[in-house]
Amino acid sequence: MNKESPIISLKNIEYTYEKKTVLKNVNFDLTKGSFVGLLGPNGGGKTTLIKIILGMLSPMKGSLTLFNKPAESFKDWNKIGFVSQKSNSFNKGFPATVFEVVSAGLTSKIGYFKFFNKKDKQKVLDAIKSVNMSEYTYENIGNLSGGQQQRVFIARALVSEPELLILDEPTVGIDYENVHRFYELLHELNKYKGITLLLVTHDTGTMTKYATDIVCLNKTLHFHGKPDEFESLTEKEMSTFYGHPVNIVTHDH
Amino acid sequence: MLADLLEFNFLRQTFLTGLLIGIIAPLLGTFIVVRRLSLIADALSHVTLAGIAFGLFIEKKFSFTLLPPIYSGLVFSVVGSIFIEKLRHVYKAYQEIAIPIILSGGVGLSVIFIALADGFNTELMNFLFGSASAVSKTDFYTILTISIFVVVIIFLFYKELFTLSFDEEHAKVSGIHAKQIHLLFIILTALVIAASIQIVGVLLVSALMTLPVAASMRIAKGFKQMMFLSILFGEIAVIIGLISGYYLNIPPGGTIVVVSIIILLLSIGYKRIFVTKTKVGATV
Ligand SMILES: Nc1ncnc2c1ncn2[C@@H]1O[C@H](COP(=O)(O)OP(=O)(O)OP(=O)(O)O)[C@@H](O)[C@H]1O
Ligand SMILES: [Mg+2]
């Protein structure tokens, strides 16, 4: 595959819930190896766009290409890892251990009629370790705090070593130390393993530090460029797509 | 006592059948409970009753056996399960409405076939509350085949079923064929219900699928452990229930369920004591 060819390509995407048009004329290419921060106000359509990419919703208009294949004929879903915005909506009483939950991330990759082996087990343990949850490996997921659960779901997405990882506000509810650790982890995955990342967040400051590209979505794309270009946007330009004045909080790490 | 029970051939078949359903009912029950589908099991058992009543009606009226009633029950149950899935699709936003539709449909049909077959008889009574003496050789082999099939399929699809049960959205996004796996699962449920009815009866079959799971859920660490504990509790309930039912001359459905409830209460008590103990330990 040509290194420059986009692994996701969206053309003229339009999406309407009942009567409300949430996305219109969205054009966007995701380059292999990039780390894209998707920003935008609440209700800007970020989650909707991700659901379209993941095939959970089909757009009213436009076309979508995944790994050079039209979305309709795309089958390699295990190339894409996903951490959803509301992972915490699962049934709390479900008696599954952290190990079992993270193993579920390999189900599709292992494939039908094949079984979990020693190598898979090691991958699961490594993924749990990478989110700093090893001491809870055999604990029931329901007994963990919200932030700890979210880290387990991140491990579940990482375990299958996806080529593209899509994360919808994955750090909500995670404490400062682990957010920092998590961004470092993403940075390593991106830099050394070449995993392409698409991350939705409201944490603009951190994003400009780690991302290779910033995209701003509010119904349509208002900005697509490098973090430094984003930072040099004037307040006026910024408020046109947020619909209200904004302050960028810069973090000094 | 156990040796006595095993002496008679027909009773040995009943006993072995009990052991089989003591495995498969809680095995499937584990998935049913975590997916909150317990009521579907109830609906399907009533559809199975309609099938059995239909079989008995054909037998009485035309005095020929088209199929033993367990087979007509099986057919109704599987068709009912597919129908539930269709209905759940039609009423996407109100999926649970499929359950009362199927349940009342099952009861309605049962009433009609029972009336047409000139009312209640002991055979029907056996199917309602279970029976410790009614398992024929053919029935035994049918149930054995179903059990092997169910265990093999669960073994083959364990990781997909687990993934789907834990987080349906994640399963779909990761490319698992959620719809097909779910359909397979519902059909397995229908098979297990039809197989279990001889021993525990229509009215109590869902209890054997859910009570052992409810008990193990409170104390198990992890899903696999819960599955094995559920089967253990299911077997204990079936063995004690069948033997006591036989000697006390009570339909085993009743005794099996009562033993299951005792196990459930014990597990709740165990957890209480255990939790209190650790609390005391922590303050020392
Ligand atoms: N299932 C739905 N039915 C109807 N409208 C919806 C539905 N889901 C989202 N919307 C609407 O679509 C718009 C975009 O929602 P979306 O969840 O994509 O926003 P978002 O950018 O992810 O916001 P946030 O930052 O709050 O997560 C919102 O105005 C929302 O009200
Ligand atoms: Mg969102």
Side-chain angles (χ1 to χ4, degrees):
Chain A
M1 198 199 293
N2 178 356
K3 205 172 179 244
E4 290 305 307
S5 72
I7 57 176
I8 291 183
S9 178
L10 300 158
K11 294 223 159 53
N12 279 318
I13 296 291
E14 182 169 323
Y15 192 84
T16 310
Y17 287 108
E18 275 120 50
K19 289 207 173 80
K20 190 174 174 198
T21 301
V22 181
L23 297 172
K24 203 172 166 77
N25 281 325
V26 177
N27 289 288
F28 171 56
D29 281 353
L30 187 64
T31 322
K32 193 176 164 65
S34 58
F35 182 170
V36 177
L38 179 55
L39 308 176
N42 291 137
K46 303 179 296 295
T47 299
T48 307
L49 187 68
I50 280 173
K51 285 186 171 168
I52 289 173
I53 293 174
L54 293 169
M56 291 151 78
L57 297 173
S58 20
M60 277 68 203
K61 274 192 200 154
S63 67
L64 168 63
T65 318
L66 299 165
F67 293 89
N68 291 323
K69 284 216 178 82
E72 304 80 52
S73 58
F74 183 73
K75 292 258 153 53
D76 291 327
W77 288 107
N78 58 53
K79 282 187 177 173
I80 304 178
F82 173 53
V83 179
S84 121
Q85 184 170 7
K86 34 165 212 165
S87 303
N88 281 331
S89 65
F90 80 102
N91 167 15
K92 287 255 176 198
F94 200 113
T97 61
V98 167
F99 184 88
E100 287 175 319
V101 172
V102 176
S103 306
L106 283 173
T107 300
S108 166
K109 190 167 188 183
I110 294 172
Y112 293 111
F113 306 112
K114 293 199 196 92
F115 299 97
F116 199 79
N117 61 29
K118 273 216 173 94
K119 249 186 175 167
D120 298 321
K121 185 175 176 184
Q122 194 52 47
K123 281 185 193 170
V124 171
L125 293 175
D126 291 344
I128 294 171
K129 197 170 171 200
S130 74
V131 293
N132 207 8
M133 286 295 289
S134 295
E135 63 178 301
Y136 300 98
T137 305
Y138 299 104
E139 203 48 64
N140 275 351
I141 181 109
N143 298 342
L144 304 180
S145 76
Q148 290 174 326
Q149 286 170 355
Q150 188 66 353
R151 278 149 64 191
V152 173
F153 292 122
I154 292 165
R156 182 180 66 180
L158 291 175
V159 71
S160 62
E161 298 166 324
E163 289 179 38
L164 165 65
L165 192 52
I166 298 179
L167 308 117
D168 195 353
E169 298 187 42
T171 55
V172 171
I174 300 189
D175 61 46
Y176 177 77
E177 194 200 318
N178 279 297
V179 168
H180 182 68
R181 196 189 148 89
F182 171 63
Y183 275 107
E184 286 297 332
L185 173 68
L186 290 183
H187 180 70
E188 277 170 30
L189 290 172
N190 177 247
K191 196 162 175 194
Y192 302 111
K193 293 205 172 157
I195 298 178
T196 311
L197 297 170
L198 178 61
L199 177 82
V200 175
T201 180
H202 293 287
D203 187 359
T204 317
T206 314
M207 218 44 246
T208 48
K209 183 174 174 229
Y210 289 96
T212 60
D213 298 84
I214 299 282
V215 171
C216 296
L217 180 72
N218 188 6
K219 199 166 171 186
T220 186
L221 286 196
H222 288 265
F223 175 85
H224 186 177
K226 298 287 157 199
D228 50 338
E229 294 173 305
F230 178 76
E231 281 180 316
S232 63
L233 285 179
T234 63
E235 246 174 60
K236 191 158 167 273
E237 287 170 310
M238 205 60 108
S239 53
T240 55
F241 68 80
Y242 270 96
H244 59 81
V246 265
N247 301 311
I248 299 179
V249 189
T250 25
H251 292 219
D252 304 301
H253 292 292
Chain B
M1 190 164 83
L2 196 67
D4 274 352
L5 196 72
L6 293 176
E7 247 171 59
F8 303 98
N9 203 25
F10 72 101
L11 276 183
R12 194 177 69 192
Q13 274 161 25
T14 306
F15 194 71
L16 292 177
T17 306
L19 293 183
L20 287 175
I21 65 166
I23 295 172
I24 57 175
L27 177 66
L28 265 217
T30 317
F31 293 99
I32 289 176
V33 169
V34 296
R35 301 190 64 191
R36 301 170 190 278
L37 296 176
S38 313
L39 289 172
I40 286 193
D42 245 337
L44 285 179
S45 68
H46 287 82
V47 174
T48 311
L49 176 65
I52 288 167
F54 176 74
L56 292 175
F57 158 68
I58 297 286
E59 216 174 83
K60 292 268 146 54
K61 278 293 153 190
F62 306 99
S63 47
F64 84 108
T65 318
L66 183 68
L67 284 171
I70 183 177
Y71 284 99
S72 50
L74 204 73
V75 171
F76 271 58
S77 183
V78 170
V79 172
S81 69
I82 294 168
F83 206 61
I84 284 188
E85 279 319 293
K86 284 269 171 297
L87 278 177
R88 270 156 62 92
H89 235 75
V90 174
Y91 294 99
K92 257 202 170 112
Y94 302 97
Q95 298 196 347
E96 69 279 5
I97 204 173
I99 293 163
I101 293 175
I102 294 291
L103 194 140
S104 51
V107 174
L109 284 176
S110 306
V111 169
I112 292 174
F113 290 129
I114 291 168
L116 288 177
D118 297 330
F120 248 73
N121 56 25
T122 30
E123 207 174 344
L124 195 65
M125 174 87 171
N126 285 343
F127 283 115
L128 280 182
F129 300 111
S131 150
S133 60
V135 182
S136 70
K137 215 171 186 107
T138 17
D139 287 353
F140 171 70
Y141 283 113
T142 309
I143 293 167
L144 180 65
T145 312
I146 291 177
S147 303
I148 293 172
F149 179 74
V150 167
V151 170
V152 168
I153 296 286
I154 296 273
F155 184 70
L156 282 178
F157 288 96
Y158 173 78
K159 64 184 193 311
E160 284 81 10
L161 282 168
F162 172 79
T163 305
L164 187 66
S165 306
F166 181 72
D167 186 342
E168 196 164 336
E169 181 182 81
H170 165 257
K172 283 181 183 157
V173 167
S174 67
I176 290 167
H177 296 81
K179 231 172 105 183
Q180 289 84 338
I181 299 279
H182 180 68
L183 186 63
L184 181 70
F185 171 74
I186 288 292
I187 291 172
L188 288 185
T189 308
L191 289 176
V192 169
I193 287 171
S196 309
I197 273 175
Q198 299 252 319
I199 302 282
V200 273
V202 168
L203 299 176
L204 299 170
V205 60
S206 73
L208 186 60
M209 299 183 102
T210 51
L211 290 181
V213 184
S216 62
M217 198 168 207
R218 299 188 55 88
I219 48 183
K221 267 244 164 90
F223 191 77
K224 265 202 183 131
Q225 200 183 87
M226 174 167 95
M227 216 159 79
F228 289 119
L229 268 181
S230 302
I231 292 173
L232 178 71
F233 292 160
E235 288 293 9
I236 293 173
V238 166
I239 292 169
I240 298 178
L242 265 182
I243 294 175
S244 60
Y246 177 74
Y247 281 100
L248 301 172
N249 205 14
I250 297 171
T255 48
I256 289 172
V257 169
V258 168
V259 176
S260 302
I261 289 176
I262 292 171
I263 293 173
L264 178 67
L265 292 176
L266 286 177
S267 91
I268 294 172
Y270 169 83
K271 178 112 183 195
R272 281 261 165 84
I273 293 163
F274 183 75
V275 170
T276 333
K277 252 192 194 156
T278 46
K279 263 190 195 148
V280 171
T283 48
V284 168

